[in-house]
Every structure is written in C-alpha cells, then in structure tokens.
C-alpha cells in the first residue's frame, strides 16, 4: 500500500507541475518564465523518473534527472527536435527546438528542488532499497 500511496503522490505532483508549467508557457512571462519553465521541466522529468524507479535514492535521482534534461537539451543540437516540433506541439514541449546553454542551469536547479522534496517525503514512504 505504501508504494501505491507513494506513486499517487508522485502522479499528483506531476499533474500539478505540468499544469503550472503549461500555464507559464501559454501565458508567457518573458525570461523569468523561461527559467521557471526549465525548473518545472526538470521537476516533471524527475517525477516521471520516480514513477519508473521509485526506489532510486535522492542523490542518484538528482543526477539522473539533471542528466536526462541535459541530454534532451544537447539533443537539440541535431535537426530532429526542430523537425518534430513542426509536426507536433507535444514534441515541441518534450524536446524543444533549439539548444540554449542558459537552460542547463535551471535544469540543475529543478533537479535539486525535486530531489530535495524526494528526500523529505521518502522517509514517510518506506521504500525498500
């Protein structure tokens, strides 16, 4: 039951993060909105990682979250994300279109933020190692 409750908390967090992130994206808040969007993107990626790997401890979790976000950002150096974005709004949200080095810092901040939350809630959900 604890694992189910843990996953429900993660799903609720992901839904809330997605709603806030889409709101910021659709309304637009300039540079501050872009950086907030990067932080929220990393939080969402982290929560999705927790759904798949709920036993992941906080430090490897932060590294995996930041690493995956960075991988997606560097993937934007190829032509594929921009091509996919022309065909799909969802693809644009997931992969972006163009590499932007300043996005790398918000990803780390988001990974640390969601990792800190994970470290705090983890003791309340005894997840076997």
């Amino acid at each position: 039951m604890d694992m189910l409750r843990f996953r429900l908390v993660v799903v609720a967090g992901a839904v809330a993060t997605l709603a806030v992130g889409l709101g910021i994206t659709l309304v637009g808040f300039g540079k501050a909105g872009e950086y907030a969007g990067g932080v929220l993107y990393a939080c969402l990626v982290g929560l999705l990682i927790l759904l798949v790997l709920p036993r992941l401890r906080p430090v490897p979790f932060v590294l995996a979250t930041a690493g995956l976000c960075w991988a997606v950002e560097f993937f934007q150096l190829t032509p594929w994300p921009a091509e996919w974005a022309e065909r799909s709004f969802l693809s644009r949200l997931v992969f972006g279109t163009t590499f932007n080095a300043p996005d790398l810092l918000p990803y780390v901040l988001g990974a640390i933020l969601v990792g800190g939350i994970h470290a705090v809630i983890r003791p309340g959900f005894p997840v076997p190692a």
Side-chain angles (χ1 to χ4, degrees):
M1 181 61 164
D2 281 334
M3 184 62 76
L4 176 61
R5 225 170 36 128
F6 179 78
R7 283 197 162 119
L8 288 174
V9 168
V10 170
V11 167
V15 169
T17 302
L18 184 60
V20 172
L22 286 175
I24 287 173
T25 299
L26 295 175
V27 172
F29 288 97
K31 283 290 181 197
E34 286 180 36
Y35 293 121
V39 169
L40 290 167
Y41 179 84
C43 288
L44 181 60
V45 167
L47 291 166
L48 295 175
I49 288 171
L50 273 183
L51 279 178
V52 177
L53 301 168
R55 291 176 174 84
L56 201 56
R57 296 196 180 276
V59 171
F61 167 71
V62 168
L63 295 174
T65 299
L68 184 57
C69 292
W70 278 35
V72 169
E73 189 67 32
F74 281 101
F75 183 58
Q76 293 170 3
L77 290 169
T78 71
W80 298 302
E83 289 175 18
W84 298 342
E86 290 177 12
R87 296 185 206 121
S88 166
F89 179 69
L90 182 60
S91 178
R92 176 184 286 284
L93 290 175
V94 173
F95 296 108
T97 57
T98 49
F99 176 79
N100 187 19
D103 287 344
L104 299 173
L105 178 61
Y107 296 151
V108 172
L109 296 176
I112 291 169
L113 174 64
V114 77
I117 294 168
H118 174 44
V120 168
I121 68 166
R122 185 175 167 72
F125 294 94
V127 181

